[in-house]
Amino acid sequence: LQPYQRNKTNIIMPNTDSILRIALQKSGRLSEDSFRLFKECGIKFESGTGKLKTSSSNFPAEFLFLRDDDIAGYVEDGVADIGIVGENVFIESNRKAEITYRLGFSKCRLSIAVPRGVDYKNIEDFQGKSIATSYPRLLGNYLKEKGVKADIHEISGSVEIAPSIGLAEGVCDIVSSGSTLLSNGLKEVETIFRSEAVLISNKKLSKAKHDTLNKLLFRIKAVQTAQNYKYILLNAPNDKLQEIINMIPGMKSPTIVPLAMEGWSSIHSVLEENQFWENIEAIRSAGAEGILVIPIEKMIY
Ligand code: PRT
Ligand code: ZN
């Protein structure tokens, strides 16, 4: 089954069986990175027009724009085939879908916090106390695992004000920079879950949709791998080539191009960003000059 086929008037159309319905957050902390990811994968679609649904013009995909809380349910029910959602929201929702790929953006943690003045020792301090949260399932599992019986006070927003209005002794909420806790006079005392954006998929995707998903994952991996690597060009005296090549071995091996100047060559290679910073001094002291580092858009091994 081909993802595209010609219709009666010989126009190339996506094969409807293979069209992947993708649920994305309409607007919020996941949206920008999700939209950017598809753009970097070369998948075009209109966003931000207020529409709830749109199709891609160059990939067999339809996009649904939803509240993040609804994405896992839509994917479980098969209204959407895949979705991008915070792992915290996905696990809390207890919906049956598969985490197919960890996307690495929208990282945050779910933490317990108490008023700054409290002399906190450990989680047992919460025995018989109450904690306000929008994540009763994740918190409940954590307390159970630690053998602590505390009252979980479920509230849907502005969790951080709970201690100051006497609603609970502590809170359990999403933390990123920590400034919200700080400005509400709270301190983080336990991290119970680390989250990032995840791509979830329906458990019973058809073969045709699965093939489209694999094409999408191939692109995502190519884009994300590229982001960790840089293309490096440098000039080196010929008698130092081997020493420098050993430091920047590249994907298979570096390209060596002779310079117009006698006795010198240019080395082209690919290097992990971290490795670049670790090796740069050694590369320079080996005699490399004119070092250029260039971003890579896509990378396929
Ligand atoms: O409207 P919709 O229902 O779709 O969105 P939402 O308002 O429910 O969610 P949104 O867009 O705020 O967050 C979507 C996802 O982003 C979350 O489920 C997390 O997976 C992830 N994420 C990453 C965050 C944060 N960072 C974050 N800092 N979600 C929320 N926060 C909030 C947190 O609740 C707290 O109020 O930011 C505050 C803490 O931030 P700091 O930087 O002050 O610590
Ligand atoms: Zn939400």
Side-chain angles (χ1 to χ4, degrees), residues 25 67-69 89:
Q25 189 189 28
R67 294 279 311 270
D68 70 339
D69 317 72
V89 171

Side-chain angles (χ1 to χ4, degrees), residues 178-226:
S179 64
T180 304
L181 292 182
L182 200 68
S183 62
N184 283 282
L186 300 170
K187 63 176 178 188
E188 194 175 349
V189 292
E190 307 278 347
T191 296
I192 74 166
F193 187 76
R194 289 189 187 273
S195 177
E196 65 188 276
V198 289
L199 190 151
I200 55 168
S201 27
N202 179 273
K203 290 193 164 216
K204 293 187 194 130
L205 283 188
S206 66
K207 164 86 173 66
K209 283 178 189 276
H210 226 283
D211 288 349
T212 311
L213 174 57
N214 284 338
K215 288 193 171 75
L216 172 64
L217 290 172
F218 179 82
R219 294 191 190 193
I220 293 176
K221 284 174 197 164
V223 165
Q224 294 202 329
T225 310

